[in-house]
Amino acid sequence: MIVNMSDTATSDQIEHIIQRIKEAGFTPHITRGTERTIVAAVGSGGRRHEIEALSVAPGVDNVVAIAQPSKLVSRQTRPTSSVVDVGGVKIGGDEVVVIAGPCSVESREQLLTTACGVKKAGAHMLRGGAYKPRTSPYEFQGLGIEALKILREAREQTGLPVVTEVMSTEDADVICEYADMLQVGARNMQNYALLRRLATTKKPILLKRGPSALVKEWLLAAEYLLSGGNDQVVLCERGIKTFETATRNTIDLASVALAKELSHLPVVADPSHGTGKQSLIGPVARAAIALGADGIIVEVHPCPERALSDGPQSLDLAQFERVMRGLSDPLRPLAGTREGAGVA
Ligand code: PEP
Ligand code: MN
């Protein structure tokens, strides 16, 4: 339930509502907007009728039910869009944020070359996997702590804040020490023990949508983070499983616009995992931005044919530079489709 305070409500009246929500067995969550304050009553097992009755309390405008199952994530609870600050880079603000880097950190040289290259081309943040969720146990699993150290060095050299995946609760502390933002990978979107653990950190989280997750389930996964105390969450659409096999996943671009409609959280798109194809990264990135994405996350490798993971969907540095040029005005037609794709 949401208690909308009137724009003339006093702080004593707001405090009274907060107390009454606690007495009714709910947890109060307060959003102070520029014009009015909203107090959400969240939780299970509380007495709803006691909240409904608050509609006649002094300073209250009205009391409404939250339509979505994800309460704190809902735009109804917080009508203004949230901005997540990652080491000074603001995701959800006026500027579209580009996060770029290799799928996996493979060596110091590979990462530093990529980091300097993407920075020069205009990227705002660096990505790179240290702990990799590979489909086969025989594939490259990531360099672990060694990769974290290399990521830190790249951040020191370039100033780009770093995002890397955390796969297990055991790795959370060490990754928090080295990274600016923690990625919850698609396969772990519904790992509730991991979500609960990450909710207790103060780090920004990049929450990827599960390959088979409904938008509702994705938002509820974010709700675990917010209800656990961490509202620094960015949603990431990275494609879902459908009957189509021509692309690696089917990127659900409508869900980017929908997630922004339903939620106040920033939303980014991942055209690399979303398509699996170098040539589609540019066009899909442009489309995502045109429909309101707050950013994109793109895989870049100095030599994609030698990449230890996800080479076919990684751009080389020259291709990335061309894609970046095409992002400045996503609705302006490009000279040719090959150029638009960023593939020479
Ligand atoms: C990745 O970002 O490299 C990755 C493994 O992504 P996803 O979890 O979306 O598959
Ligand atoms: Mn990858």
Side-chain angles (χ1 to χ4, degrees), residues 103 127 132-133 165 183 185-187 208 238 270 273 299 310:
C103 178
R127 61 150 290 148
K132 293 304 301 177
E165 179 163 354
Q183 176 173 320
R187 294 158 184 81
K208 289 197 154 194
R238 49 76 74 201
D270 176 346
H273 294 87
E299 289 188 332
D310 288 350

Side-chain angles (χ1 to χ4, degrees), residues 247-262:
T247 48
R248 179 178 176 185
N249 292 293
T250 298
I251 189 154
D252 180 10
L253 286 180
S255 80
V256 173
L258 180 61
K260 286 203 63 75
E261 197 174 295
L262 297 175

Side-chain angles (χ1 to χ4, degrees), residues 82-93 97-99 124-127 155 159-164 176 178-183 202-207 230-235 266 268 294:
S82 293
V83 177
V84 174
D85 187 317
V86 186
V89 173
K90 293 183 170 34
I91 309 181
V97 169
V98 177
I99 307 168
H124 307 91
M125 280 181 61
L126 179 66
R127 61 150 290 148
R155 183 187 42 196
L160 296 176
V162 159
V163 57
T164 195
C176 279
Y178 285 90
D180 301 285
M181 182 180 218
L182 311 179
Q183 176 173 320
K202 291 293 160 238
K203 289 278 181 185
I205 310 286
L206 182 68
L207 178 64
N230 187 347
D231 64 358
Q232 299 300 292
V233 177
V234 175
L235 300 166
V268 304
D294 296 296

Side-chain angles (χ1 to χ4, degrees), residues 1-4 26 38-43 48-49 51-55 60-72 74-78 262:
M1 306 284 293
I2 285 177
V3 181
N4 286 309
F26 292 100
I38 294 172
V39 191
V42 179
R48 284 175 64 98
H49 64 278
I51 306 297
E52 278 157 9
L54 294 177
S55 63
V60 173
D61 203 355
N62 56 46
V63 176
V64 290
I66 307 175
Q68 283 169 234
S70 45
K71 311 292 181 193
L72 301 176
S74 164
R75 202 174 265 285
Q76 234 185 318
T77 308
R78 207 186 282 177
L262 297 175

Side-chain angles (χ1 to χ4, degrees), residues 133-135 165 184-191 208-211 238 248 273:
R134 303 309 301 279
T135 305
E165 179 163 354
V184 175
R187 294 158 184 81
N188 266 321
M189 188 205 84
Q190 285 175 309
N191 179 340
K208 289 197 154 194
R209 179 179 177 185
R238 49 76 74 201
R248 179 178 176 185
H273 294 87

Side-chain angles (χ1 to χ4, degrees), residues 9-257:
T10 64
S11 46
D12 281 353
Q13 289 169 340
I14 296 170
E15 192 49 43
H16 173 71
I17 296 303
I18 292 169
Q19 286 311 322
R20 299 284 285 120
I21 288 174
K22 287 182 187 164
E23 283 166 28
F26 292 100
T27 306
H29 287 266
I30 304 110
T31 306
R32 292 179 205 277
T34 46
E35 273 158 33
R36 54 161 58 195
T37 296
I38 294 172
V39 191
V42 179
S44 54
R47 294 175 297 281
R48 284 175 64 98
H49 64 278
E50 290 183 25
I51 306 297
E52 278 157 9
L54 294 177
S55 63
V56 292
V60 173
D61 203 355
N62 56 46
V63 176
V64 290
I66 307 175
Q68 283 169 234
S70 45
K71 311 292 181 193
L72 301 176
V73 161
S74 164
R75 202 174 265 285
Q76 234 185 318
T77 308
R78 207 186 282 177
T80 46
S81 298
S82 293
V83 177
V84 174
D85 187 317
V86 186
V89 173
K90 293 183 170 34
I91 309 181
D94 292 337
E95 204 181 349
V96 170
V97 169
V98 177
I99 307 168
C103 178
S104 303
V105 177
E106 299 168 4
S107 69
R108 183 171 176 272
E109 195 198 345
Q110 172 246 14
L111 189 73
L112 294 182
T113 306
T114 313
C116 293
V118 299
K119 157 112 188 184
K120 193 159 157 258
H124 307 91
M125 280 181 61
L126 179 66
R127 61 150 290 148
Y131 300 84
K132 293 304 301 177
R134 303 309 301 279
T135 305
S136 161
Y138 306 117
E139 289 172 325
F140 178 61
Q141 303 287 308
L143 297 179
I145 178 105
E146 196 189 327
L148 295 178
K149 290 180 180 162
I150 299 171
L151 283 165
R152 178 144 81 183
E153 191 181 342
R155 183 187 42 196
E156 277 161 12
Q157 267 198 26
T158 60
L160 296 176
V162 159
V163 57
T164 195
E165 179 163 354
V166 50
M167 288 206 300
S168 128
T169 52
E170 288 157 36
D171 303 326
D173 284 336
V174 70
I175 296 177
C176 279
E177 221 181 283
Y178 285 90
D180 301 285
M181 182 180 218
L182 311 179
Q183 176 173 320
V184 175
R187 294 158 184 81
N188 266 321
M189 188 205 84
Q190 285 175 309
N191 179 340
Y192 299 118
L194 183 64
L195 295 174
R196 282 188 201 282
R197 171 69 184 84
L198 299 186
T200 66
T201 73
K202 291 293 160 238
K203 289 278 181 185
I205 310 286
L206 182 68
L207 178 64
K208 289 197 154 194
R209 179 179 177 185
S212 306
L214 303 175
V215 169
K216 183 171 95 176
E217 293 165 331
W218 184 28
L219 298 181
L220 279 167
E223 187 79 7
Y224 269 85
L225 295 167
L226 271 72
S227 65
N230 187 347
D231 64 358
Q232 299 300 292
V233 177
V234 175
L235 300 166
C236 177
E237 161 61 31
R238 49 76 74 201
I240 51 174
K241 285 192 191 296
T242 67
F243 54 80
E244 182 58 81
T245 55
T247 48
R248 179 178 176 185
N249 292 293
T250 298
I251 189 154
D252 180 10
L253 286 180
S255 80
V256 173

